[in-house]
Amino acid sequence: MTDTVAQTEKKPVIFSGMQPSGALTLGSYMGALQNWVNLSDAYDCYYCIVDLHAITSRQEPAELRRRCLDQIAQYIACGLDPAKSTLFIQSHVPAHAELSWILNCYTMFGELSRMTQFKDKSTRNTDNINAGLFTYPVLMTADILLYQAELVPVGDDQRQHVELARDVANRFNGIYGDVFTLPKSFIPEEGARIMSLADSTRKMSKSEPAGGCIYLMDKPEVILKSFKRAVTDSGGDVRYDQAEKPGVSNLMTIYSVATGKSYDAIEAEFSGLGYGAFKTAVGESVVELFRPIREKAEALLADKAYLVSVYTDAADHAARAANKTLRKVYKKIGFVAK
Ligand code: TRP
């Protein structure tokens, strides 16, 4: 099915990935998933659960396995249609690891040494600075180039990696002719940076302490409680001002994305009402936004056979596209055809 659609319409290709290293959060929903859904009609989208990337930090095997399934279910529950987008698991398509090795030989040690994420991660986790952490951006380059992706929707923290992918593609094309499409990152402005509810200077992520991070599958009581406790400031007016009122501004962004209301409308709505009423309203808007998603994801997770069919078909489809690129690369390099 997906094959015919992709081939007859020839839409431009999008590739993006998310690590199954933790449960999906409000940040991943508003910063990435919503955007993935919006792009899924106009583009031929490959959305990948990057389990090969996840093992650059130690994972508990049973947890890793469960989170990959959860993630597929949640992607679909958020509105991604497996008949339109290719929702697959990275380790199911061996071409990722294969092209990654090849591209290791076309990526410079110096380039990888300059990656800020590597520098960050290796200073924070001194007990496990493995070679995979260092070559992580090469695997990401392989992900993108295998599908000839033009656009790569990512968060700001991945911009440098996409630039590297472009540089490596350029270098390879310079030697062998036009093999790879040059990718560009696509960074959405709206809702792109949802901050922790406990500390508005930090991005909302799974490493946040309890209450700072809202999960897609959280129960309503948990969501409401976290919003009631969200940090604000000593003032009382609901006004958008990132520098002076980062906590309130973050809550306004969340409310705005959840309800579609503008900042002006939100200021007017809560004028004179104080933070208590505002925080309750934000919490309720997120509960309502997530309720149908959670219910749909739970139903999908109860139908394991369906999920298996989704990721199996997707892996077949992805492998066909990826192998086409890989064969071309092997030929250009001078490997003997088998
Ligand atoms: N490194 C990305 C992240 O942590 C995930 C990722 C892996 C990715 N491969 C990719 C994103 C390819 C875009 C394209 O967010």
Coordinates of all heavy atoms in Angstrom, one line a residue, residues 75-127:
Y75 N 2.6 6.8 18.7 CA 2.7 7.5 17.5 C 1.3 7.5 16.7 O 0.8 8.5 16.3 CB 3.7 6.9 16.5 CG 5.2 7.1 16.8 CD1 5.6 7.9 17.9 CD2 6.2 6.6 15.9 CE1 6.9 8.1 18.1 CE2 7.5 6.8 16.2 CZ 7.9 7.6 17.3 OH 9.2 7.8 17.5
I76 N 0.8 6.3 16.7 CA -0.5 6.1 16.0 C -1.6 6.8 16.7 O -2.4 7.5 16.1 CB -0.8 4.6 15.8 CG1 0.3 3.9 15.1 CG2 -2.2 4.4 15.1 CD1 0.1 2.4 15.1
A77 N -1.6 6.7 18.1 CA -2.6 7.4 18.9 C -2.6 8.9 18.7 O -3.6 9.6 18.8 CB -2.4 7.0 20.3
C78 N -1.4 9.4 18.4 CA -1.2 10.9 18.3 C -1.7 11.3 16.9 O -1.8 12.5 16.6 CB 0.2 11.3 18.4 SG 0.7 11.3 20.1
G79 N -2.0 10.4 16.0 CA -2.6 10.8 14.7 C -1.7 10.4 13.5 O -2.1 10.8 12.4
L80 N -0.6 9.7 13.7 CA 0.2 9.3 12.6 C -0.5 8.0 12.0 O -0.9 7.1 12.8 CB 1.6 8.9 13.0 CG 2.5 10.2 13.3 CD1 3.8 9.7 13.8 CD2 2.7 11.0 12.0
D81 N -0.7 8.0 10.7 CA -1.5 6.9 10.1 C -0.4 6.0 9.4 O 0.3 6.4 8.5 CB -2.4 7.5 9.0 CG -3.2 6.5 8.2 OD1 -2.9 5.3 8.4 OD2 -4.0 6.9 7.4
P82 N -0.4 4.7 9.9 CA 0.6 3.8 9.3 C 0.4 3.5 7.9 O 1.4 3.0 7.2 CB 0.5 2.5 10.2 CG -0.7 2.7 11.1 CD -1.2 4.1 11.0
A83 N -0.7 3.8 7.3 CA -0.9 3.6 5.9 C -0.3 4.8 5.1 O -0.1 4.7 3.9 CB -2.4 3.5 5.6
K84 N 0.0 5.9 5.8 CA 0.5 7.1 5.1 C 2.0 7.2 5.4 O 2.8 7.6 4.5 CB -0.2 8.3 5.5 CG -1.5 8.6 4.7 CD -2.0 10.0 4.8 CE -2.4 10.3 6.3 NZ -3.1 11.6 6.4
S85 N 2.4 7.0 6.7 CA 3.8 7.3 7.1 C 4.4 5.9 7.4 O 3.7 5.0 7.9 CB 3.8 8.2 8.3 OG 3.1 9.4 8.1
T86 N 5.7 5.8 7.2 CA 6.4 4.6 7.6 C 6.9 4.7 9.0 O 7.8 5.4 9.3 CB 7.6 4.4 6.6 OG1 7.1 4.5 5.2 CG2 8.2 3.0 6.7
L87 N 6.2 3.9 9.9 CA 6.6 4.0 11.3 C 7.3 2.7 11.6 O 6.7 1.6 11.8 CB 5.3 4.0 12.1 CG 4.2 5.1 11.7 CD1 3.0 5.0 12.6 CD2 4.8 6.5 11.8
F88 N 8.7 2.8 11.8 CA 9.4 1.6 11.9 C 10.5 1.7 13.0 O 10.8 2.7 13.5 CB 10.0 1.2 10.5 CG 11.2 2.1 10.1 CD1 12.5 1.6 10.1 CD2 11.0 3.4 9.7 CE1 13.6 2.3 9.6 CE2 12.1 4.2 9.3 CZ 13.3 3.6 9.2
I89 N 11.1 0.5 13.2 CA 12.1 0.4 14.3 C 13.5 0.2 13.6 O 13.6 -0.6 12.7 CB 11.8 -0.9 15.1 CG1 10.4 -0.6 15.9 CG2 12.9 -1.1 16.2 CD1 9.9 -1.8 16.6
Q90 N 14.4 1.1 14.0 CA 15.7 1.2 13.3 C 16.4 -0.2 13.2 O 16.9 -0.5 12.1 CB 16.5 2.1 14.1 CG 17.8 2.6 13.4 CD 18.6 3.5 14.4 OE1 18.5 3.4 15.6 NE2 19.3 4.5 13.8
S91 N 16.4 -1.0 14.2 CA 17.2 -2.2 14.2 C 16.6 -3.3 13.3 O 17.2 -4.3 13.0 CB 17.3 -2.8 15.6 OG 16.1 -3.2 16.1
H92 N 15.4 -3.0 12.8 CA 14.7 -3.9 11.8 C 15.2 -3.7 10.4 O 15.0 -4.6 9.5 CB 13.2 -3.7 11.8 CG 12.5 -4.2 13.1 ND1 11.2 -4.1 13.3 CD2 13.1 -4.8 14.2 CE1 10.9 -4.7 14.5 NE2 12.0 -5.1 15.0
V93 N 16.0 -2.7 10.2 CA 16.5 -2.4 8.8 C 18.0 -2.3 8.9 O 18.6 -1.3 9.2 CB 15.9 -1.1 8.3 CG1 16.4 -0.8 6.9 CG2 14.4 -1.1 8.3
P94 N 18.7 -3.5 8.6 CA 20.1 -3.6 8.8 C 20.9 -2.5 8.0 O 22.1 -2.2 8.3 CB 20.4 -5.0 8.3 CG 19.2 -5.7 8.3 CD 18.1 -4.7 8.1
A95 N 20.3 -2.0 6.9 CA 21.0 -1.0 6.1 C 21.5 0.2 6.9 O 22.5 0.8 6.6 CB 20.1 -0.5 5.0
H96 N 20.8 0.5 8.1 CA 21.3 1.6 8.9 C 22.7 1.4 9.5 O 23.6 2.2 9.4 CB 20.3 1.9 10.0 CG 19.0 2.4 9.6 ND1 18.6 3.7 9.8 CD2 18.0 1.8 8.9 CE1 17.4 3.9 9.3 NE2 17.0 2.8 8.7
A97 N 22.9 0.2 10.0 CA 24.2 -0.2 10.6 C 25.2 -0.3 9.4 O 26.4 0.1 9.6 CB 24.1 -1.5 11.3
E98 N 24.8 -0.8 8.3 CA 25.7 -1.0 7.2 C 26.2 0.3 6.6 O 27.4 0.5 6.4 CB 25.1 -1.9 6.1 CG 24.8 -3.3 6.6 CD 23.9 -4.1 5.6 OE1 22.7 -3.7 5.4 OE2 24.4 -5.1 5.0
L99 N 25.3 1.2 6.3 CA 25.7 2.5 5.8 C 26.5 3.3 6.8 O 27.4 4.0 6.5 CB 24.5 3.3 5.3 CG 24.9 4.6 4.6 CD1 25.8 4.4 3.3 CD2 23.7 5.5 4.2
S100 N 26.1 3.1 8.1 CA 26.8 3.8 9.1 C 28.3 3.5 9.1 O 29.2 4.3 9.2 CB 26.2 3.4 10.5 OG 26.8 4.2 11.5
W101 N 28.6 2.2 8.9 CA 30.1 1.8 8.9 C 30.8 2.5 7.7 O 31.9 3.1 7.9 CB 30.3 0.3 8.8 CG 31.7 0.0 8.4 CD1 32.2 -0.3 7.2 CD2 32.8 0.3 9.3 NE1 33.6 -0.3 7.3 CE2 34.0 0.0 8.6 CE3 32.9 0.6 10.7 CZ2 35.3 0.1 9.1 CZ3 34.2 0.7 11.2 CH2 35.4 0.5 10.4
I102 N 30.1 2.5 6.6 CA 30.7 3.1 5.4 C 31.0 4.6 5.7 O 32.1 5.1 5.4 CB 29.8 3.0 4.2 CG1 29.3 1.5 4.0 CG2 30.4 3.6 2.9 CD1 29.9 0.8 2.9
L103 N 30.0 5.2 6.2 CA 30.1 6.7 6.4 C 31.1 7.0 7.5 O 31.7 8.1 7.5 CB 28.7 7.3 6.7 CG 27.7 7.2 5.5 CD1 26.4 7.9 5.9 CD2 28.3 7.8 4.2
N104 N 31.4 6.1 8.4 CA 32.5 6.3 9.3 C 33.8 6.6 8.6 O 34.6 7.3 9.2 CB 32.7 5.0 10.2 CG 31.8 5.0 11.4 OD1 31.7 6.0 12.1 ND2 31.3 3.9 11.8
C105 N 33.9 6.0 7.5 CA 35.2 6.2 6.7 C 35.2 7.5 5.9 O 36.2 7.8 5.2 CB 35.4 5.0 5.8 SG 35.4 3.4 6.8
Y106 N 34.1 8.2 5.9 CA 34.0 9.5 5.2 C 33.7 10.6 6.2 O 33.3 11.7 5.8 CB 33.0 9.4 4.1 CG 33.3 8.4 3.0 CD1 33.0 7.0 3.2 CD2 34.0 8.8 1.9 CE1 33.4 6.1 2.3 CE2 34.4 7.8 0.9 CZ 34.0 6.5 1.2 OH 34.4 5.6 0.2
T107 N 33.8 10.4 7.5 CA 33.6 11.4 8.5 C 34.9 11.5 9.2 O 35.5 10.5 9.6 CB 32.5 10.9 9.4 OG1 31.3 10.6 8.7 CG2 32.1 12.1 10.4
M108 N 35.3 12.8 9.5 CA 36.6 13.0 10.1 C 36.5 13.0 11.7 O 35.5 13.4 12.2 CB 37.1 14.4 9.7 CG 37.3 14.5 8.2 SD 38.5 13.3 7.6 CE 37.6 12.5 6.3
F109 N 37.5 12.5 12.3 CA 37.6 12.4 13.7 C 37.4 13.8 14.3 O 36.7 14.0 15.3 CB 39.0 11.9 14.1 CG 39.2 11.7 15.6 CD1 38.8 10.6 16.2 CD2 39.8 12.7 16.3 CE1 38.9 10.4 17.6 CE2 40.0 12.6 17.7 CZ 39.5 11.4 18.3
G110 N 38.0 14.8 13.6 CA 37.9 16.2 14.1 C 36.5 16.7 14.1 O 36.0 17.4 15.0
E111 N 35.7 16.3 13.0 CA 34.3 16.7 12.9 C 33.5 16.2 14.1 O 32.7 16.9 14.7 CB 33.7 16.2 11.6 CG 34.1 16.9 10.4 CD 33.5 16.3 9.1 OE1 33.7 15.1 8.9 OE2 32.8 17.0 8.4
L112 N 33.7 14.9 14.4 CA 33.0 14.3 15.5 C 33.4 14.9 16.8 O 32.6 15.0 17.7 CB 33.1 12.8 15.5 CG 32.5 12.1 14.2 CD1 32.8 10.6 14.3 CD2 31.0 12.3 14.2
S113 N 34.7 15.3 16.9 CA 35.1 15.8 18.2 C 34.5 17.2 18.5 O 34.5 17.6 19.6 CB 36.7 16.0 18.2 OG 37.3 14.9 17.7
R114 N 34.0 17.8 17.5 CA 33.4 19.2 17.6 C 31.9 19.1 17.9 O 31.3 20.2 18.2 CB 33.6 20.0 16.4 CG 35.1 20.5 16.2 CD 35.2 21.6 15.2 NE 35.0 21.1 13.8 CZ 35.9 20.5 13.1 NH1 37.2 20.3 13.6 NH2 35.7 20.1 11.9
M115 N 31.3 17.9 18.0 CA 29.9 17.8 18.2 C 29.6 18.2 19.7 O 30.1 17.5 20.6 CB 29.4 16.4 17.9 CG 29.4 16.0 16.4 SD 28.3 17.0 15.5 CE 29.4 17.8 14.3
T116 N 28.8 19.2 19.9 CA 28.5 19.7 21.2 C 27.8 18.6 22.1 O 28.0 18.5 23.2 CB 27.7 21.0 21.3 OG1 26.5 20.8 20.5 CG2 28.5 22.1 20.6
Q117 N 26.9 17.9 21.4 CA 26.2 16.8 22.2 C 27.1 15.8 22.7 O 27.0 15.3 23.9 CB 25.1 16.2 21.4 CG 24.2 15.3 22.2 CD 22.9 14.9 21.6 OE1 22.9 14.2 20.6 NE2 21.8 15.5 22.1
F118 N 28.1 15.4 21.9 CA 29.1 14.4 22.4 C 29.9 15.0 23.6 O 30.1 14.4 24.6 CB 30.1 14.0 21.3 CG 31.2 13.2 21.8 CD1 31.0 11.9 22.2 CD2 32.5 13.7 21.9 CE1 32.1 11.1 22.7 CE2 33.6 13.0 22.4 CZ 33.3 11.7 22.8
K119 N 30.3 16.3 23.4 CA 31.1 16.9 24.5 C 30.2 17.0 25.8 O 30.7 16.6 26.9 CB 31.5 18.3 24.1 CG 32.6 18.3 23.0 CD 33.3 19.6 22.8 CE 32.7 20.3 21.6 NZ 33.4 21.6 21.3
D120 N 29.0 17.3 25.7 CA 28.1 17.4 26.8 C 27.9 16.0 27.5 O 28.1 15.9 28.7 CB 26.6 17.7 26.3 CG 26.4 19.2 26.3 OD1 27.4 19.9 26.5 OD2 25.2 19.6 26.0
K121 N 27.5 15.0 26.6 CA 27.2 13.7 27.1 C 28.5 13.1 27.8 O 28.4 12.4 28.7 CB 26.6 12.8 26.1 CG 25.2 13.1 25.7 CD 24.6 12.1 24.8 CE 23.1 12.4 24.5 NZ 22.5 11.5 23.5
S122 N 29.6 13.3 27.1 CA 30.8 12.6 27.7 C 31.3 13.3 28.9 O 32.0 12.7 29.8 CB 31.9 12.5 26.6 OG 32.2 13.8 26.1
T123 N 31.0 14.6 29.1 CA 31.4 15.2 30.4 C 30.4 14.8 31.5 O 30.7 14.7 32.7 CB 31.4 16.7 30.4 OG1 30.7 17.2 29.3 CG2 32.8 17.2 30.3
R124 N 29.1 14.5 31.1 CA 28.1 14.2 32.1 C 28.2 12.7 32.5 O 27.9 12.3 33.7 CB 26.7 14.5 31.7 CG 26.4 16.0 32.0 CD 24.9 16.3 31.8 NE 24.6 16.5 30.4 CZ 23.7 15.8 29.7 NH1 23.0 14.9 30.3 NH2 23.5 16.1 28.4
N125 N 28.6 11.8 31.6 CA 28.6 10.3 31.9 C 30.0 9.8 31.7 O 30.3 9.0 30.8 CB 27.7 9.6 30.9 CG 26.3 10.1 31.0 OD1 25.7 10.2 32.0 ND2 25.7 10.4 29.8
T126 N 30.9 10.2 32.6 CA 32.3 9.8 32.4 C 32.5 8.3 32.6 O 33.5 7.8 32.1 CB 33.2 10.5 33.5 OG1 32.5 10.4 34.7 CG2 33.4 12.0 33.1
D127 N 31.5 7.5 33.1 CA 31.7 6.1 33.3 C 31.4 5.3 32.0 O 31.6 4.1 32.0 CB 30.9 5.6 34.5 CG 29.4 6.0 34.3 OD1 29.1 6.9 33.6 OD2 28.6 5.3 34.9

